[in-house]
């Protein structure tokens, strides 16, 4: 029971940090999640960079600002089948199966980069987590988020139920994506 209680406190600390940063910067929790991952949970460095140039951190080039997760009858951009597809809000469309497989495979590869597979704009973590992941993958997502937070903030590591979900010792967070932390805003390969 102690491990579960400690685990809950730790994941709550992660979500409290996300909410605090979102409130400080006047951005969404989803944007705060992405930026904290990019800035390796260094809240003060992120706030400083944001105050210098907020548009470099949060703009239409990096984030889907108004997601439209409605179904449209169109070809899926991944499997090419003409079917009911999810319009991500960035203009790209994917069938439910491809969309789920894409994000679940990212989580299974220890990658928290929740972006559109075509244009690489960041998508809302909360919507993907709540609507597009199985319960098992959702637990793995939270375990991975917690591990990333612990590693970046150098918190002592205690073995929890979430830890058993992690298959690899190292994470490849943002293996591809936007290099916002350096200020270049360019795509990394």
């Amino acid at each position: 029971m102690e491990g579960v209680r400690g685990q809950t406190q730790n994941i709550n600390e992660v979500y409290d940090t996300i909410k605090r940063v979102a409130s400080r910067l006047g951005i969404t929790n989803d944007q705060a999640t992405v930026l904290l991952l990019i800035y390796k949970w260094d809240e003060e460095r992120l706030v400083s960079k944001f105050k210098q140039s907020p548009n470099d951190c949060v703009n239409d080039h990096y984030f889907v600002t108004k997601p439209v997760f409605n179904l449209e009858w169109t070809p899926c951009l991944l499997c090419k089948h003409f079917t009911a597809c999810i319009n991500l809000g960035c203009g790209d469309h994917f069938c439910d199966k491809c969309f789920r497989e894409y994000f679940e495979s990212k989580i299974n590869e220890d990658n928290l980069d929740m972006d559109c597979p075509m244009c690489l704009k960041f998508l809302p973590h909360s919507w993907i987590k709540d609507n597009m992941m199985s319960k098992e993958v959702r637990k793995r997502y939270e375990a991975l988020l917690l591990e990333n937070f612990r590693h970046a903030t150098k918190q002592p590591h205690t073995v929890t139920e979430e830890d058993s979900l992690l298959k690899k010792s190292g994470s490849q967070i943002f293996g591809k994506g936007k290099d916002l932390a350096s200020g270049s805003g360019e795509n990394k390969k």
Side-chain angles (χ1 to χ4, degrees), residues 20-40:
R20 182 177 58 249
V21 167
S23 178
R24 284 179 74 182
L25 300 179
I27 60 178
T28 68
N29 288 348
D30 289 315
Q31 291 170 326
T33 302
V34 169
L35 292 174
L36 282 164
L37 287 166
I38 291 170
Y39 283 87
K40 300 186 183 337

Side-chain angles (χ1 to χ4, degrees), residues 97-109:
K97 181 179 182 269
C98 287
F99 190 73
R100 285 179 190 272
E101 286 176 358
Y102 174 74
F103 287 104
E104 288 187 6
S105 71
K106 290 186 94 151
I107 296 302
N108 288 329
E109 294 169 0

Side-chain angles (χ1 to χ4, degrees), residues 3-4 7 139 143 146 150 158-166:
V4 172
Q7 163 188 329
K139 282 184 180 181
L146 179 58
R150 283 181 185 155
T158 56
V159 177
T160 67
E161 182 181 342
E162 285 179 334
D163 294 325
S164 66
L165 296 172
L166 294 172

Side-chain angles (χ1 to χ4, degrees), residues 81-182:
H81 290 109
F82 194 81
T83 186
C85 290
I86 299 166
N87 174 348
L88 301 183
C90 57
D92 296 322
H93 299 81
F94 307 96
C95 68
D96 184 64
K97 181 179 182 269
C98 287
F99 190 73
R100 285 179 190 272
E101 286 176 358
Y102 174 74
F103 287 104
E104 288 187 6
S105 71
K106 290 186 94 151
I107 296 302
N108 288 329
E109 294 169 0
D110 295 346
N111 187 340
L112 289 169
D113 191 2
M114 301 290 120
D115 59 2
C116 170
M118 300 307 284
C119 70
L120 302 180
K121 285 186 180 183
F122 293 115
L123 301 169
H125 279 234
S126 61
W127 191 88
I128 293 167
K129 183 180 70 143
D130 295 342
N131 297 293
M132 300 308 297
M133 290 183 188
S134 66
K135 188 176 181 179
E136 180 182 308
V137 174
R138 196 168 28 253
K139 282 184 180 181
R140 182 154 168 73
Y141 167 84
E142 287 197 335
L144 187 57
L145 190 63
L146 179 58
E147 182 66 23
N148 185 268
F149 177 79
R150 283 181 185 155
H151 179 74
T153 59
K154 307 291 189 249
Q155 288 190 357
H157 184 78
T158 56
V159 177
T160 67
E161 182 181 342
E162 285 179 334
D163 294 325
S164 66
L165 296 172
L166 294 172
K167 295 177 184 171
K168 299 177 185 175
S169 60
S171 297
Q172 296 176 340
I173 308 305
F174 293 97
K176 66 175 179 122
K178 293 63 160 181
D179 187 7
L180 299 180
S182 71

